[in-house]
Every structure is written in C-alpha cells, then in structure tokens.
Amino acid sequence: MKPDKTGQTKAMLDIDIPDSPLAREAAELIRDTESELLFNHSTRVYLWGALLGKRNGIGYDTELLYVAAMFHDIGLTSAYGTSQLRFEVDGANAARDFLRSHRVDEADVAKVWTAVALHTTPGIPEHMHGEIALVQAGAGMDVAGRGFDAFTQAQRAAVIAAYPRGADFGEKMIDAFYEGMKHRPGTTFGTFNDDFLAHKDPSFERVDLCSIILNSRLR
C-alpha cells in the first residue's frame, strides 16, 4: 500500500484531499486500475482544480470533484482495450456506476458524468457546475500548462512534490493517450485527440469535415 499523502498535501497547500469512505474507495479502485503515471496525474488534476476553485471563488463539492478527477482518464486503460466509445465516455460511465453503487444522488452523479465526459472539450465546461469546470481546468493545467500563471511557484512545487510527474511526462502521457485510443480512431474525430494518433502513427489519416460536407450525398 502506498503512503497516505492526505495530511501532507493539506499542510503544503491548505487543500483537502477527501478522506471519506467514498473517496478512499475511489482512490483504491483507480490505483489498482491505472498506472502510477495516470494515478498521479489524476490526483494533480484534482489539486489544480481545487486550488483554482478556491482562488476564483468557484463552488464545488470536494468528494464529487475528487471522484471526477480520479476517474477522468480510466477510459485510457487496458480495461477498455476493446471499447468503441470515446474514452471520455468510458470514464464517465465508470464514474457513474461507481457513484450509483454508493447510492449517490442522481443529480450529483450527472455532474460527475458530465465533468468526465467534457474534460477534453474546452470552451463549454467553464460555463457549467463548478465540478465540471474545475476538472477540465485541472486537466488542462496538468497536461498542457494551461493557466500556469494562476498558481504560485510554491503551489506548483508543492503539487508536483506530492504527486510527481516523473521524467519525460509529456512523452509518456502522449503514449498513454495513443495506447488508449489507437484501436478506436474514429472516436477522435471532432476533438484534439486525433493529434495523439497523428503524432504516433505516420499512417493515420485525419478526417476532414470540409471534405465530408462538400461530398455529402445530401443535395
């Protein structure tokens, strides 16, 4: 069992990682399913999101934000190696099933489902519930550094010290995205996820929406 960093993170950041039975079970499930790379990434997504929520006065439920952050990339794992859904939908469905098994209110389940499903869709989540906005913002910060200046140097150092990125994080995350989507390339259409396939597979051909429109059989 990995050491519990809840108190350590609280002391460094004044941000709680929830320690309820629901949160502990979510963390255990994700730790057993995901690589250390994705587990640490998911935890950092929660921390970035929680810090932004506190900084910007965005209300959120700590447990719901945590569960959404922890489940947001589970669809990239080998457990979904034959799925033909978008990986975001696989993660959203997994989070929904987990919460329903704990008899969480359906309105809260819907928030988490949407937070996971939309976490790769910038421009929309920030206008929705706090949990939805903050998962997307946290993921953008951790993967691409979006919103970097919204955090202090001390905050950035503390988050990464508690849940390290490790060497070559960028390349390893690209590999994780590619491995999670290479068997379902059609699901990347209309998102930036096709960038991962194009980066790793020189034979990958992007779908061009303009060509689809111009060649539509509907006249």
Side-chain angles (χ1 to χ4, degrees):
M1 168 124 3
K2 302 278 179 123
D4 182 5
K5 299 180 181 179
T6 301
Q8 173 188 347
T9 306
K10 167 70 173 176
M12 289 192 296
L13 296 169
D14 196 28
I15 292 292
D16 285 312
I17 291 182
D19 194 33
S20 64
L22 179 72
R24 290 197 299 270
E25 287 188 38
E28 183 177 355
L29 188 157
I30 297 302
R31 194 184 290 281
D32 289 344
T33 305
E34 293 185 351
S35 63
E36 184 175 12
L37 174 82
L38 289 180
F39 178 86
N40 283 354
H41 161 64
S42 296
T43 310
R44 291 193 305 270
V45 166
Y46 165 76
L47 293 172
W48 300 131
L51 286 167
L52 281 175
K54 183 176 181 180
R55 177 183 187 271
N56 297 332
I58 300 172
Y60 64 90
D61 180 279
T62 300
E63 276 191 327
L64 297 183
L65 179 62
Y66 184 72
V67 170
M70 296 310 290
F71 274 87
H72 84 282
D73 274 348
I74 195 173
L76 294 174
T77 65
S78 59
Y80 299 92
T82 60
S83 174
Q84 292 301 306
L85 297 176
R86 282 180 55 164
F87 87 89
E88 304 96 327
V89 173
D90 282 327
N93 289 345
R96 178 191 62 200
D97 294 345
F98 173 80
L99 291 173
R100 283 179 174 171
S101 74
H102 288 78
R103 300 177 184 270
V104 172
D105 184 83
E106 281 297 315
D108 289 336
V109 172
K111 287 181 187 178
V112 172
W113 192 96
T114 306
V116 177
L118 291 183
H119 82 268
T120 62
T121 306
I124 296 175
E126 56 261 43
H127 303 289
M128 304 180 75
H129 290 290
E131 296 84 359
I132 302 168
L134 294 173
V135 168
Q136 199 273 330
M141 169 61 180
D142 203 60
V143 172
R146 191 170 63 248
F148 182 90
D149 292 329
F151 304 91
T152 67
Q153 174 58 33
Q155 287 173 333
R156 294 192 296 263
V159 170
I160 292 171
Y163 294 92
R165 288 164 66 88
D168 302 319
F169 170 78
E171 287 298 329
K172 289 177 180 177
M173 277 301 297
I174 291 170
D175 287 346
F177 280 116
Y178 175 70
E179 291 299 325
M181 292 184 285
K182 66 182 182 181
H183 64 283
R184 42 181 161 180
T187 66
T188 67
F189 174 61
T191 76
F192 55 68
N193 290 328
D194 61 356
D195 289 344
F196 299 113
L197 302 190
H199 180 78
K200 296 291 294 185
D201 181 2
S203 67
F204 174 70
E205 295 185 5
R206 299 177 189 268
V207 177
D208 175 33
L209 181 57
C210 292
S211 295
I212 291 174
I213 293 171
L214 293 173
N215 291 292
S216 171
R217 295 173 62 188
L218 186 63
R219 294 287 186 260

